[in-house]
Amino acid sequence: AVEVAVSRDGRFAFVTLQGSGALAVFNLAAALASGLRDSGFMGDVRLGVNPIGLAMTRGGQWLYATTQKQDQKASQGTLSVINVARAETDPAGSVQSTALAGCDPGRVITTADGSTVWVTARASNTLLAFSAARLRSDPGRALIAKVRVGQAPIGLTELPGGRRILVANSGMHQGHPACLGVIDVAAALAGRPAFVAVIGAGVLPREFAVEPGGRTALITNSASHQLEAVNVSQLG
């Protein structure tokens, strides 16, 4: 298991199972009602090779999941759109659409307004932007921006206000120093240079959280066993 998302009503949980090639669906309400005597497992959503990233839209209607490869012979991974209501009753039939998402895509986020989906493509050293509407209707034309970032980006988060994205460049494969990259969203979507600042990091930064006030971002530096706090109030 890698990442987990919970339905808006709190009744269902969705978990990416990296080694199983699937997204597992659990009925939390049923599991709790049974006193956790059963898991509430509902079934699998079959994806590609090594599903990892997972993000729920704010409205709770759609779920985005990444896989590191489309299949064993593919060079690119995927970004899948999953219908949450369908996944709760028929997991096997819940994939709405799938798009290619660069080499070794990792984490995924959706913007606060739901219009754009961002994915880190780790082996491409790239941050990708997709139109959420086109992902559902025309996935082959959904990619709307590419930003060259640092080495092997994994985690990412949108900063309050939506003007900046913070990316964790892990440096895990190439042996380059890790760093946090600050991305200008408007510049990225307009096709202009968008990598605007670099912030120091520990060894292999991976995951983000932004505290409720929006002033501080927390980053796990997994190989140096640290939790890093960064003041981001002046970045937005």
Side-chain angles (χ1 to χ4, degrees):
V2 181
E3 293 210 310
V4 60
V6 178
S7 62
R8 190 176 182 185
D9 61 8
R11 294 177 58 84
F12 288 84
F14 308 89
V15 182
T16 47
L17 302 177
Q18 183 173 357
S20 301
L23 175 77
V25 182
F26 296 91
N27 186 324
L28 289 180
L32 292 170
S34 73
L36 300 180
R37 288 190 298 272
D38 64 69
S39 67
F41 177 66
M42 297 289 294
D44 286 330
V45 180
R46 301 305 302 179
L47 298 170
V49 177
N50 295 342
I52 296 179
L54 198 58
M56 181 80 68
T57 57
R58 179 168 292 188
Q61 183 179 4
W62 306 103
L63 190 63
Y64 300 103
T66 64
T67 66
Q68 290 181 312
K69 289 186 177 183
Q70 185 176 26
D71 54 52
Q72 292 292 354
K73 297 180 180 179
S75 60
Q76 292 196 65
T78 65
L79 172 64
S80 292
V81 184
I82 297 160
N83 184 307
V84 172
R86 184 75 179 270
E88 293 173 354
T89 59
D90 177 25
S94 62
V95 176
Q96 174 84 9
S97 58
T98 299
L100 293 177
C103 296
D104 196 7
R107 303 302 189 262
V108 54
I109 61 170
T110 180
T111 53
D113 64 3
S115 64
T116 309
V117 182
W118 296 88
V119 175
T120 51
R122 188 164 58 182
S124 299
N125 299 330
T126 303
L127 176 66
L128 306 176
F130 295 86
S131 160
R134 288 186 193 170
L135 276 173
R136 298 190 295 269
S137 62
D138 189 5
R141 297 178 59 249
L143 182 65
I144 55 176
K146 293 182 180 181
V147 181
R148 293 287 294 180
V149 290
Q151 299 291 335
I154 301 179
L156 73 166
T157 189
E158 183 184 52
L159 296 182
R163 297 179 59 240
R164 299 286 188 266
I165 288 176
L166 202 57
V167 177
N169 298 304
S170 71
M172 65 183 301
H173 295 315
Q174 293 85 354
H176 293 269
C179 69
L180 309 179
V182 183
I183 308 303
D184 183 312
V185 170
L189 295 177
R192 303 194 306 269
F195 196 108
V196 296
V198 174
I199 300 170
V203 184
L204 216 165
R206 188 183 293 271
E207 301 284 0
F208 285 105
V210 178
E211 56 85 23
R215 292 181 57 85
T216 305
L218 300 173
I219 304 95
T220 55
N221 293 311
S222 57
S224 53
H225 310 158
Q226 298 168 317
L227 180 65
E228 177 178 355
V230 176
N231 183 347
V232 296
S233 61
Q234 302 302 313
L235 298 178

